[in-house]
Each structure stands twice: as C-alpha cells, then as structure tokens.
Amino acid sequence: IPTHANRNPGLMEEAVKFIHMGGSIDLTADIDPEPSDDQLLSVTAAIKRCLNEKASLNHVTVSSDGNGSLPVFNEQGELTGLTVASEESLLINFRFLVKNKILPLEQALKLFSSNAARCYKLAGKGRIEEGFDGDLIILDKDLELVHVLAKGRIMVQDGTVKAKGTFAKESQ
C-alpha cells in the first residue's frame, strides 16, 4: 500500500488513479489539518479530492509515524537529531474531519480503524467483535479522549494515563 500519498499534489493525483484501479492508499496524519505549505495536502484536502473524484474511501487509510523515529533539522536543513513521533495527529485529524463535517463520524472512523485492518490484513483488528483484540478508544460528545483500551487492557481511564507504552515519555 503506498503510504504518505498526500505529501504532494502529484503523488495524490497518482494515488486517486490507483484507487480507481482497485488499489488502496494511506494518508499521513502527520501533516497539519491546515498546512501552511501548499505542497502538502492535509488529510482533509486528500479526502475531499477522493470524494470529488469519486475514489472509494473504502480504499483509504490514515496513519501516523507515531512512535517511529523522526528526524530533527536546523534552519539550514541539517540533521541535528532524532525524536519520537506522536500518534496524537491521528485524533487531531479525525476530529477535524468530523467537526468540520467533511465526513460523518461513522465514515471517518473507518479510515482510522477497519479500513487499515482490512487493507493490511491485520487479524483481530478493526472491529468490535468476539475474538478480536479489544483495541478501543472512547470519546466524549466533543470528541475528546476519555478511555483507551489496547488488547482489552485499560491504558487511559477518564483521561488519565494508567499504563504507558514502550516509547512514552515520563511527562505523558
């Protein structure tokens, strides 16, 4: 599956063609929902393009480089170090799609869950069903994070972190 298909307009054009041929693409949530660089397409802009060109959203996933290494550059474009990418961009983009009425809640959810599970053939993921892993996020009416369960284990409860992942910083 081609990833980061929204990193420039030309690549997104090819990605839409690929969807029409039956392929699936992935959009990076690591681009700001309203980027200042017109060469970067936000998830919202990419979704609107798919909708305008009648490319099936069943073939679109949204992911982040969350917990992956992320280069840090200085003003001269020189690599100065590495940091760990956050998965927070997923929730930011999900909220933006729903709150700005780009997609209804049910359709937006699929981009971040069941589409990815199906496209990447992730057994036990993407649905709430007996025998599945029990990975859930529970949001309030304002789409704020309330609870997180991973493999049925409570990770966040009432907005408070109860268990930390491998790459979580102590301040989180």
Side-chain angles (χ1 to χ4, degrees):
I1 294 177
T3 63
H4 298 78
N6 56 323
R7 67 182 166 228
N8 69 60
L11 188 57
M12 190 63 208
E13 181 178 337
E14 293 298 317
V16 169
K17 289 177 187 174
F18 189 59
I19 293 171
H20 284 297
M21 294 178 352
S24 295
I25 65 161
D26 181 70
L27 305 174
T28 182
D30 293 328
I31 296 172
D32 191 299
E34 299 180 280
S36 56
D37 183 342
D38 63 357
Q39 284 302 302
L40 298 174
L41 290 167
S42 66
V43 168
T44 298
I47 294 300
K48 285 181 177 180
R49 184 159 186 179
C50 288
L51 292 170
N52 289 339
E53 298 186 31
K54 301 195 180 347
S56 173
L57 294 184
N58 289 329
H59 293 270
V60 177
T61 67
V62 179
S63 66
S64 75
D65 289 334
N67 291 324
S69 64
L70 194 63
V72 177
F73 299 97
N74 63 18
E75 290 178 12
Q76 292 75 38
E78 300 166 326
L79 180 66
T80 60
L82 292 173
T83 187
V84 177
S86 169
E87 62 283 338
E88 187 178 6
S89 61
L90 293 165
L91 186 54
I92 290 168
N93 277 276
F94 173 76
R95 273 192 207 117
F96 195 89
L97 287 170
V98 176
K99 286 185 174 187
N100 290 284
K101 299 184 180 351
I102 309 303
L103 293 174
L105 179 80
E106 297 80 13
Q107 195 173 10
L109 277 172
K110 291 178 183 180
L111 300 172
F112 296 84
S113 59
S114 58
N115 284 7
R118 187 185 69 257
C119 290
Y120 290 109
K121 298 177 175 43
L122 302 174
K125 303 285 185 189
R127 295 196 311 258
I128 302 170
E129 190 172 304
E130 187 175 336
F132 277 58
D133 284 350
D135 299 336
L136 300 169
I137 64 167
I138 299 171
L139 308 173
D140 66 16
K141 63 181 173 50
D142 296 317
L143 303 180
E144 294 298 322
L145 189 66
V146 179
H147 307 297
V148 175
L149 286 85
K151 292 191 174 185
R153 181 177 171 216
I154 296 172
M155 305 299 282
V156 174
Q157 185 172 26
D158 298 321
T160 302
V161 175
K162 296 294 183 178
K164 294 183 181 175
T166 305
F167 300 107
K169 295 178 183 169
E170 286 305 313
S171 62
Q172 291 180 321

